[in-house]
Amino acid sequence: MLAASKLSCIRGTQTLFNDINLQLDAGQWLYLQGENGAGKTSLLRILAGLSLPTEGEVLWQNAPIAQQRSQYHQDLLYIGHHAGLKEDLTLTENLQALCRMDGLRISDAAIREALTRMGLAKRQHLPARVLSAGQKRRGLLARALLRPAKLWILDEPFNALDINAIADVQRLLKAHLASGGLLVLTSHQPPDLGIDAPGFILNLSVPR
Amino acid sequence: MLAASKLSCIRGTQTLFNDINLQLDAGQWLYLQGENGAGKTSLLRILAGLSLPTEGEVLWQNAPIAQQRSQYHQDLLYIGHHAGLKEDLTLTENLQALCRMDGLRISDAAIREALTRMGLAKRQHLPARVLSAGQKRRGLLARALLRPAKLWILDEPFNALDINAIADVQRLLKAHLASGGLLVLTSHQPPDLGIDAPGFILNLSVPR
Amino acid sequence: MPVLAAYFAALQRDLLLVMRRKTEVLTALFFFVIVTTLLPLGIGPEPDLLRKIAPGAMWIAALLATLLGLQRLFAADHADGTLEQIVLSPEPLCVLVAGKITAHWLVCGLPLVLLAPVIGLQFDLPADAIGILMLSLLIGTPLLSLLGAIGAALTLGARGSALLVSLLVMPLYIPTLIFGAGAVESYIAGLGASGHFSLLGALLILAAAFAPWATTAALRISLE
Amino acid sequence: MPVLAAYFAALQRDLLLVMRRKTEVLTALFFFVIVTTLLPLGIGPEPDLLRKIAPGAMWIAALLATLLGLQRLFAADHADGTLEQIVLSPEPLCVLVAGKITAHWLVCGLPLVLLAPVIGLQFDLPADAIGILMLSLLIGTPLLSLLGAIGAALTLGARGSALLVSLLVMPLYIPTLIFGAGAVESYIAGLGASGHFSLLGALLILAAAFAPWATTAALRISLE
Amino acid sequence: MINWFKYSAPSTFYPLAGKLIPVFWTLAALLGAIGLYISFFVAPTDAQQGEGYRIIFIHVPASWMSMFIYCIMAFWSLLGLTFNTRLSGMMTRALAPTGALFAFLSLWTGALWGKPMWGAWWVWDARLTSELILFFLYIGFMALQAAIDDPRRADRAGALLSLVGVVNVPIIYFSVKWWNTLHQGASVSLTKSPSMATTMLWGMLTMALAFWAYTIAVALMRARTIMLEREGNTEWVQHLPDVKEAA
Ligand code: HEM
Ligand SMILES: Nc1ncnc2c1ncn2[C@@H]1O[C@H](COP(=O)(O)OP(=O)(O)OP(=O)(O)O)[C@@H](O)[C@H]1O
Ligand SMILES: Nc1ncnc2c1ncn2[C@@H]1O[C@H](COP(=O)(O)OP(=O)(O)OP(=O)(O)O)[C@@H](O)[C@H]1O
Ligand SMILES: [Mg+2]
Ligand SMILES: [Mg+2]
């Protein structure tokens, strides 16, 4: 499904990584490891199509992603370092707007349920501005419950989350894998993705 | 040294906490625990004097902080959720500017050394914009090495850091306590502050 | 039509955002009012002089008011990371961009058109000239929004300084300004304004066809 | 003097930031140039008319150019969290704020003063009037920076839309505009400009004494 | 001696305001009726201006009020910033729309009057211009308050703005005056208007008093609403008879 061939990435004068080849199939995960500045975020953004690799290309279902943007974006859920919420809108409105721009029609009830599952039932009508760091992050992760997407690319999803929320998200990831989804993630807290889900660990090292 | 009497904080219609009394002396730490949205950040900002409590007051060496801002700020190092770096400046310039505005004269060599200790020797002349999330955070924490301050208030200092960096920061915290410093921090990864350093854990719970 | 749905989704989102800060609806308008108020204070209150420069000055004020709103058009979404999500939407980016541009015009352009008569009266313009002025603004302000969006998208990566946007966009605005203000002036001079209007209209059609597309390209470049 | 050191530290930091984006030094200037260039395009090329409105128009352009830079004055530092650190500095906030205001003037005000003669020549102003214009801008632009800073600080928490700053600050700018543009105009009219200058000077002294202080208060309020 | 701090606590102010509001409404209606009667039936038709001049009975009191209200707002703001009372912020906020309304009314009636008198809706006269700027100051104040969500911060920011504004109002007023007189002789001067007959003066005074009563009534009503909004969860609000009934 997701494949990458000969990816390399040069930033400034530094080669972050070179000649990375990947092949990820349904139900498999890829866990990126590496110190701060190793190039994990850079790789995830390349896989998501948000930035271009210096060399190599990313394939989705055997075709380069640049040639099938709409299809690829349909199948992709990317959650990055950013909070990614409009501070003036409530969580409900934020999610509503995102889904509608993705071409989905999601009922208010569905959104309410997703937020409830992320423990935000009481916060759904507050503007995102006043929420705590962790609540914002939870709100954003609620997208994963609303949008059917085969491939999840998550950049440090556990950041700012408390222990309960981390456990919730882990369950979510496992369920996604179990249902045949693909998962690419990075985190400094090693995730527990269940023993039976097959996957890979890719270790990036900091360029010296 | 640091004391708080009858602090309470109301946000919107919610009472985050009520009637909090604190007393922290030299060499002691206070670890704030609580779920996402419990009010940890709000409390830290009040202690730092960045926002006002709804009721109660914060005392530093037995005088309200509002009455001795300059003195209190001299003794205080606060590092919050924010990256807190100018993206266009290099780390060296960022730290230089911060120190000089704090009225300190710090030599370039001292800054270089602090950055080296945080593992950023090779990154000191890059604009902060291109650094990774963890590198930014490390750079900001280098302030702790440059500025003598009795009281450290740190909001999730381990966020975005890799394992090595977390260990480094822990060592830093221990040394600070050992030298008679005070420490208030919150984190979702329980810190190890050494067995002999006396301290308190304050548990905040989310308002329902 | 799913494409239309995406267009309206983007439009509605931006309008909702504006509504949340109720002042923003009014401020483009008041900026317009204030710039035109400064004019007599700067150059003196002689009615004849003012009447003469009013159409041009109002056009320039409209242009500046639009310009100020522009730099928020994408920069805000860029800063909080929502732009990434918009770019990753399966719907055509061009359509979403068009929705955002429409919202910008509804908030920053249309109110100016509606307020123009009041300002025109302050400068003692004759009623029919005011009509022409409104019409020229009605065709011209969408043009300003469309062209400005390209500049706003281009300067994103450069951490969109308001001034840089202005710098890029101003040259593009010049034809609009010349034909827009020219329409009113040549009407007042008794020469008729239809020539100017057809040129303005042609520009608008051209811009409506190409600007969203160019903006999309610029966005992709800025985001790398 | 430690206080002076803090003042220069803040000043130097902001200048360094501007130097990093070399365009920013130039853009206030270019905005000024472009607005004054649009003027003949908007209101027509008659030299007499243009000469008449030139001083006022240049003053308004200078005012708008300053205004555009203003909203970045604190908002940028607020967004990336560095403002918190500035507020937590042991040095008096007032002094740091004064340093930032000075930097704003050096970047957005001073270049306009230096460029004014060129634009003045374009509008065919006589040489001595240009001298008066420069002098009036030299006294007036720091005033604009000082007053503007209050507005910039007040709108911080309000997700500082550029337009809101303008709305708050414009009324405060009016006396400066009147005396500044008035100085040139009454000089040209043969009435002498010394009255205007002494008023401008008095305003400047007043503002220099109180504006940094009011700005500091506003900052503290905005950050709560 | 009256304990002012006691009355500035919302919990005491709320019921007090509740009692005062009907009083001021009645006063406003009575005075308004008398004022209108004087202006339409008692005051004689003007020799030069015909019946149109009667707009003065709205125009002048409205202009007065617009200026007064700004000063009162500044006064409350000063109180608020020095004593940190919650009430003053609410009062300032409650007064602003009324002030803006009167400024607008002054502009509107003036413009309506200007067309027959001067042949133009608007001239750039000093007094007109400074009234317009005053209107902008009001708008700026309200825009700022609306743009800040935290009510306490909005109050304090608004207080600072209105103080800065009130320092500037005289500066603005005199600069505008000077600007105008330097450029042209007073082609239109309001002070040259016919010397006022005593009845006219009475009419205007009565109308001004009516506007005062109206302002107070409306401001108290708004302040009460703001109070309920802000203090909805406090004990004294929960114990209000109206709130208890609703629950
Ligand atoms: C939009 C246009 C106008 C505005 C903004 C305006 C504004 C004002 C203001 C602010 C005042 C109060 C001044 C004071 O008491 O010191 C005032 C008073 C007055 N206005 Fe107007 N005015 C306008 C048009 C007119 C017109 C057209 C007339 C009639 C020719 C007029 C006649 C008067 C008179 C007679 C007074 C009372 C003068 C006095 O007591 O000193 N105004 N106006
Ligand atoms: N222009 C440049 N010149 C030199 N180095 C650069 C440049 N741009 C980026 N880099 C380096 O590239 C790396 C980017 O790392 P990236 O953000 O992908 O790291 P990461 O693995 O996600 O780290 P973290 O765990 O901290 O999030 C950093 O080491 C950064 O210093
Ligand atoms: N205006 C408001 N109305 C209602 N609730 C509010 C308002 N402002 C803030 N809150 C609530 O106050 C809390 C603020 O929490 P704070 O940021 O202090 O949390 P935290 O303990 O630091 O959480 P985290 O671990 O996620 O960083 C949140 O629960 C937020 O929803
Ligand atoms: Mg990263
Ligand atoms: Mg927090």
Side-chain angles (χ1 to χ4, degrees):
Chain A
M1 307 274 276
L2 181 70
S5 68
K6 303 217 173 140
L7 285 187
S8 75
C9 174
I10 298 179
R11 288 277 177 270
T13 55
Q14 295 206 304
T15 305
L16 290 184
F17 46 80
N18 218 329
D19 199 21
I20 287 191
N21 296 288
L22 292 174
Q23 169 75 38
L24 211 65
D25 286 317
Q28 293 183 331
W29 50 264
L30 170 68
Y31 172 49
L32 286 186
Q33 248 182 351
E35 295 177 26
N36 289 138
K40 305 182 293 298
T41 298
S42 309
L43 180 54
L44 290 187
R45 290 178 62 90
I46 288 173
L47 290 179
L50 279 172
S51 60
L52 297 175
T54 312
E55 257 162 63
E57 63 181 353
V58 179
L59 306 172
W60 177 244
Q61 293 173 330
N62 302 321
I65 55 173
Q67 285 166 24
Q68 41 156 352
R69 266 212 198 104
S70 171
Q71 180 56 45
Y72 185 53
H73 291 170
Q74 192 98 54
D75 292 337
L76 170 72
L77 176 79
Y78 170 83
I79 296 182
H81 268 305
H82 270 303
L85 297 171
K86 292 314 285 187
E87 303 252 288
D88 286 336
L89 301 186
T90 67
L91 283 178
T92 315
E93 288 165 342
N94 261 299
L95 292 173
Q96 188 73 266
L98 283 175
C99 289
R100 295 190 48 203
M101 288 197 293
D102 285 352
L104 300 172
R105 279 227 151 270
I106 304 274
S107 72
D108 279 356
I111 292 185
R112 197 173 327 120
E113 204 217 294
L115 286 176
T116 310
R117 275 183 60 190
M118 298 306 295
L120 293 167
K122 287 276 168 61
R123 300 291 187 286
Q124 54 186 323
H125 298 303
L126 287 179
R129 183 176 357 102
V130 307
L131 297 179
S132 80
Q135 287 169 337
K136 284 182 196 170
R137 197 95 196 134
R138 287 177 183 219
L140 199 62
L141 287 166
R143 276 190 87 192
L145 296 169
L146 290 170
R147 247 197 88 187
K150 278 214 199 80
L151 169 63
W152 291 5
I153 299 187
L154 308 179
D155 199 351
E156 307 204 25
F158 307 139
N159 244 0
L161 293 185
D162 64 25
I163 314 172
N164 300 335
I166 293 182
D168 284 351
V169 174
Q170 300 244 32
R171 261 194 300 282
L172 212 69
L173 299 184
K174 283 185 207 166
H176 174 66
L177 290 172
S179 70
L182 287 76
L183 170 67
V184 181
L185 91 165
T186 154
S187 163
H188 294 295
Q189 290 157 276
D192 162 25
L193 297 172
I195 23 168
D196 34 306
F200 311 93
I201 295 184
L202 180 63
N203 220 316
L204 296 178
S205 58
V206 199
R208 296 288 153 196
Chain B
M1 308 274 274
L2 180 72
S5 69
K6 304 216 175 142
L7 287 187
S8 75
C9 174
I10 298 178
R11 289 280 177 267
T13 55
Q14 293 205 305
T15 305
L16 290 184
F17 45 80
N18 218 329
D19 200 20
I20 286 192
N21 295 289
L22 292 175
Q23 170 76 37
L24 211 65
D25 285 316
Q28 293 183 332
W29 49 263
L30 170 68
Y31 172 50
L32 288 186
Q33 250 181 351
E35 294 175 28
N36 289 139
K40 304 181 294 299
T41 299
S42 310
L43 179 53
L44 291 187
R45 290 178 61 89
I46 288 174
L47 290 179
L50 280 171
S51 61
L52 298 174
T54 312
E55 256 161 65
E57 63 182 350
V58 180
L59 305 173
W60 176 244
Q61 295 177 326
N62 303 321
I65 55 172
Q67 286 166 23
Q68 42 156 355
R69 266 210 198 106
S70 168
Q71 180 57 45
Y72 185 54
H73 291 171
Q74 192 98 53
D75 292 336
L76 170 72
L77 175 78
Y78 170 84
I79 296 181
H81 268 305
H82 269 304
L85 298 172
K86 292 314 284 186
E87 302 253 288
D88 286 337
L89 301 185
T90 67
L91 282 179
T92 316
E93 287 165 342
N94 261 300
L95 291 173
Q96 189 72 265
L98 284 175
C99 288
R100 295 189 52 202
M101 287 197 294
D102 285 353
L104 300 172
R105 278 228 152 269
I106 303 272
S107 70
D108 280 357
I111 292 186
R112 199 172 326 120
E113 204 216 293
L115 286 175
T116 310
R117 275 184 62 191
M118 298 307 295
L120 293 168
K122 289 276 172 60
R123 300 290 187 284
Q124 55 186 322
H125 298 304
L126 286 180
R129 183 176 359 103
V130 306
L131 298 179
S132 80
Q135 288 170 336
K136 285 184 196 168
R137 197 93 196 138
R138 287 176 182 220
L140 200 61
L141 286 166
R143 276 191 87 193
L145 296 169
L146 291 170
R147 248 198 86 188
K150 279 216 199 78
L151 170 63
W152 291 5
I153 300 187
L154 309 179
D155 199 351
E156 308 205 25
F158 307 139
N159 244 0
L161 294 185
D162 62 26
I163 313 171
N164 299 333
I166 292 182
D168 285 349
V169 174
Q170 298 244 31
R171 261 194 302 280
L172 213 68
L173 298 183
K174 281 184 205 166
H176 174 67
L177 290 171
S179 69
L182 286 78
L183 171 66
V184 182
L185 89 166
T186 153
S187 164
H188 293 296
Q189 290 157 275
D192 161 26
L193 297 170
I195 25 170
D196 34 305
F200 310 93
I201 294 182
L202 180 63
N203 221 318
L204 296 178
S205 58
V206 200
R208 298 287 151 195
Chain C
M1 286 260 291
V3 165
L4 264 188
Y7 171 81
F8 283 113
L11 173 62
Q12 193 189 346
R13 185 193 88 134
D14 276 26
L15 289 182
L16 186 65
L17 273 169
V18 169
M19 285 305 155
R20 269 305 129 77
R21 321 222 134 251
K22 291 173 205 81
T23 49
E24 278 194 11
V25 203
L26 294 174
T27 32
L29 228 149
F30 270 101
F31 183 81
F32 182 60
V33 175
I34 292 182
V35 173
T36 47
T37 311
L38 287 182
L39 202 69
L41 294 172
I43 67 175
E46 291 153 53
D48 284 339
L49 184 63
L50 289 175
R51 193 163 331 115
K52 206 155 182 186
I53 64 171
M58 283 171 69
W59 252 94
I60 295 181
L63 198 149
L64 293 176
T66 323
L67 207 59
L68 277 194
L70 265 183
Q71 141 253 13
R72 265 199 335 261
L73 185 58
F74 299 111
D77 288 350
H78 184 50
D80 62 19
T82 45
L83 190 60
E84 270 178 12
Q85 295 166 340
I86 293 177
V87 169
L88 289 179
S89 156
E91 300 295 319
L93 183 53
C94 195
V95 170
L96 298 173
V97 163
K100 284 180 73 72
I101 296 178
T102 313
H104 176 263
W105 178 70
L106 287 178
V107 174
C108 290
L110 188 59
L112 305 190
V113 181
L114 300 178
L115 195 74
V118 179
I119 313 276
L121 284 181
Q122 280 196 327
F123 286 115
D124 202 22
L125 287 181
D128 43 355
I130 291 183
I132 298 286
L133 178 66
M134 276 183 81
L135 190 59
S136 76
L137 283 172
L138 188 66
I139 311 180
T141 45
L143 200 48
L144 296 179
S145 296
L146 285 164
L147 294 176
I150 306 178
L154 273 178
T155 48
L156 255 197
R159 221 147 295 274
S161 103
L163 295 172
L164 192 56
V165 182
S166 337
L167 193 58
L168 280 178
V169 164
M170 281 279 185
L172 298 179
Y173 276 6
I174 287 177
T176 317
L177 175 65
I178 290 180
F179 297 132
V184 190
E185 278 153 16
S186 80
Y187 176 85
I188 292 180
L191 299 174
S194 62
H196 288 91
F197 277 129
S198 34
L199 281 169
L200 265 188
L203 281 182
L204 179 58
I205 292 172
L206 215 68
F210 290 110
W213 178 84
T215 308
T216 310
L219 266 187
R220 287 208 199 277
I221 292 171
S222 294
L223 298 176
E224 209 216 31
Chain D
M1 286 260 291
V3 165
L4 265 188
Y7 171 82
F8 282 112
L11 172 60
Q12 191 189 346
R13 184 192 89 131
D14 276 25
L15 290 182
L16 187 65
L17 273 169
V18 169
M19 287 304 157
R20 272 304 129 78
R21 322 217 134 254
K22 290 172 201 80
T23 47
E24 279 194 9
V25 204
L26 296 173
T27 30
L29 231 148
F30 272 104
F31 184 81
F32 183 59
V33 175
I34 291 181
V35 172
T36 46
T37 315
L38 287 182
L39 205 68
L41 295 175
I43 67 175
E46 293 154 52
D48 283 339
L49 184 64
L50 287 177
R51 191 161 337 115
K52 204 157 183 184
I53 63 172
M58 282 170 69
W59 252 96
I60 296 179
L63 198 150
L64 294 176
T66 323
L67 206 60
L68 278 196
L70 265 182
Q71 140 252 15
R72 265 198 335 260
L73 185 58
F74 299 111
D77 288 350
H78 184 50
D80 60 21
T82 46
L83 191 60
E84 270 178 11
Q85 295 166 339
I86 293 177
V87 169
L88 288 179
S89 157
E91 301 294 319
L93 184 53
C94 195
V95 170
L96 297 173
V97 163
K100 285 181 73 72
I101 297 177
T102 313
H104 176 262
W105 179 69
L106 287 177
V107 174
C108 290
L110 189 58
L112 306 189
V113 181
L114 300 177
L115 196 73
V118 181
I119 313 275
L121 283 179
Q122 282 191 335
F123 285 116
D124 200 23
L125 287 182
D128 45 352
I130 290 184
I132 299 286
L133 178 65
M134 275 183 81
L135 190 60
S136 76
L137 283 172
L138 188 66
I139 311 180
T141 44
L143 199 50
L144 297 181
S145 296
L146 283 163
L147 293 176
I150 306 178
L154 276 176
T155 48
L156 252 196
R159 222 146 296 277
S161 102
L163 296 173
L164 186 57
V165 182
S166 337
L167 186 57
L168 296 187
V169 165
M170 284 265 193
L172 306 183
Y173 276 4
I174 284 171
T176 315
L177 174 65
I178 288 177
F179 296 135
V184 191
E185 278 154 14
S186 80
Y187 178 84
I188 291 178
L191 299 174
S194 62
H196 287 90
F197 277 129
S198 35
L199 282 168
L200 264 188
L203 285 183
L204 179 58
I205 292 172
L206 212 72
F210 291 110
W213 178 83
T215 309
T216 309
L219 268 186
R220 287 206 198 281
I221 292 171
S222 293
L223 299 175
E224 211 213 38
Chain E
M1 192 163 142
I2 308 169
N3 183 351
W4 288 107
F5 278 96
K6 175 164 170 262
Y7 288 102
S8 73
S11 48
T12 26
F13 181 84
Y14 186 90
L16 179 67
K19 284 193 209 109
L20 290 179
I21 288 169
V23 178
F24 281 103
W25 272 124
T26 327
L27 268 178
L30 271 178
L31 287 168
I34 299 174
L36 286 177
Y37 180 78
I38 295 178
S39 40
F40 280 104
F41 301 107
V42 182
T45 308
D46 187 88
Q48 298 160 2
Q49 308 183 35
E51 299 293 340
Y53 89 99
R54 291 185 196 276
I55 208 167
I56 199 175
F57 293 105
I58 305 283
H59 173 74
V60 174
S63 309
W64 287 342
M65 286 311 289
S66 66
M67 292 182 279
F68 275 133
I69 291 179
Y70 201 85
C71 296
I72 300 170
M73 279 167 55
F75 168 75
W76 278 113
S77 301
L78 191 65
L79 273 191
L81 284 184
T82 39
F83 296 110
N84 206 8
T85 50
R86 280 172 294 171
L87 178 65
S88 45
M90 300 178 191
M91 285 309 290
T92 322
R93 186 181 278 238
L95 280 167
T98 317
L101 177 77
F102 280 124
F104 185 73
L105 204 62
S106 156
L107 290 170
W108 193 252
T109 51
L112 279 182
W113 200 2
K115 188 66 182 173
M117 292 304 302
W118 305 331
W121 299 100
W122 182 266
V123 292
W124 292 95
D125 167 84
R127 194 164 331 171
L128 273 58
T129 309
S130 44
E131 183 73 18
L132 184 65
I133 295 166
L134 182 65
F135 181 59
F136 290 154
L137 282 172
Y138 276 118
I139 297 292
F141 178 89
M142 293 195 299
L144 181 67
Q145 297 250 297
I148 303 178
D149 311 274
D150 180 37
R152 196 167 48 160
R153 226 173 57 207
D155 280 354
R156 285 153 55 84
L160 193 72
L161 181 65
S162 62
L163 283 180
V164 171
V166 90
V167 171
N168 273 279
V169 162
I171 299 178
I172 292 171
Y173 182 76
F174 286 112
S175 65
V176 170
K177 215 166 169 160
W178 209 35
W179 155 75
N180 191 268
T181 49
L182 264 185
H183 279 281
Q184 57 173 123
S187 60
V188 241
S189 167
L190 296 175
T191 43
K192 278 199 215 126
S193 57
S195 65
M196 276 184 262
T198 339
T199 36
M200 285 175 62
L201 188 64
W202 277 112
M204 283 195 293
L205 278 181
T206 326
M207 284 308 286
L209 284 179
F211 282 173
W212 265 109
Y214 163 82
T215 306
I216 296 175
V218 170
L220 289 180
M221 277 175 72
R222 270 203 209 99
R224 264 166 61 108
T225 320
I226 296 170
M227 238 168 238
L228 283 191
E229 248 171 49
R230 292 210 189 154
E231 315 230 333
N233 58 344
T234 55
E235 215 163 282
W236 69 266
V237 172
Q238 305 298 335
H239 285 91
L240 285 176
D242 319 351
V243 176
K244 267 191 193 154
E245 261 168 44

